[in-house]
Amino acid sequence: MNDDLDQKFLGIALAEAEMGLAAGGIPIGSALVRDGQLVASGHNQRVQQGDPIAHGEMACLRNAGRQRSYRDTVLYTTLSPCMMCSGTIVQFGIPRVVVGEADTFDGNIEFLRSRGVEVVLMNDDSCRDVMRRFLSKPENLAIWNEDISED
């Protein structure tokens, strides 16, 4: 893909993150793309659904439904994926992941790379900003720590 397409689809993931924030959830969004076409998008819904597995990437993949193969897809995510989501990326054979930012949470970029996944880190200010706005509210710190399994 090229930078323009990466920006376009990261923008879709960011719009999902903004929807999650507006709904009182954790603002992490994701988009799944095949051949330059959006397959599905989704956002973290742990809070909204009371589902500990409803991370942004997982919601996106769930919205995509069954796919014959993921080996020709790209996954866009506003924040570096956790180990659960990284394991799913590896399990499904998604070859390329575009990450909006890894400052708020460094996730598992090196794990993905060690498993042959191409990871592009965009260092996107808008992705950092949505997390900064979420984390600026003291009541959200406990929700965030729960999401990343921190005490």
Side-chain angles (χ1 to χ4, degrees):
M1 293 237 173
N2 63 39
D3 287 343
D4 289 341
L5 282 177
D6 284 345
Q7 283 296 113
K8 173 186 174 181
F9 291 114
L10 186 60
I12 291 170
L14 181 59
E16 286 281 351
E18 292 285 0
M19 282 189 270
L21 182 63
I26 301 166
I28 302 168
S30 188
L32 184 68
V33 173
R34 174 180 286 117
D35 297 325
Q37 299 295 315
L38 181 67
V39 175
S41 62
H43 57 270
N44 186 304
Q45 295 190 33
R46 291 185 82 242
V47 173
Q48 299 93 314
Q49 295 183 3
D51 180 350
I53 299 172
H55 284 199
E57 300 89 343
M58 303 300 258
C60 174
L61 293 169
R62 183 175 286 132
N63 290 341
R66 290 178 56 197
Q67 299 291 311
R68 180 174 207 126
S69 174
Y70 296 86
R71 296 188 189 286
D72 59 348
T73 63
V74 179
L75 186 69
Y76 292 82
T77 181
T78 57
L79 187 66
S80 184
C82 72
M83 185 52 80
M84 176 180 66
C85 296
S86 294
T88 301
I89 290 164
V90 170
Q91 176 71 30
F92 286 1
I94 297 171
R96 186 170 188 263
V97 176
V98 177
V99 175
E101 67 109 339
D103 293 333
T104 305
F105 179 72
D106 60 3
N108 293 278
I109 290 174
E110 290 311 314
F111 167 78
L112 289 168
R113 287 179 174 154
S114 76
R115 300 302 297 251
V117 177
E118 177 190 355
V119 179
V120 177
L121 180 56
M122 299 292 282
N123 289 312
D124 186 86
D125 288 334
S126 296
C127 291
R128 277 192 286 273
D129 179 63
V130 72
M131 286 301 298
R132 191 175 306 120
R133 284 183 280 134
F134 172 74
L135 292 171
S136 70
K137 297 182 179 177
E139 63 271 19
N140 289 340
L141 293 178
I143 294 168
W144 173 241
N145 287 334
E146 176 188 321
D147 190 63
I148 60 171
S149 298
E150 294 287 327
D151 291 329

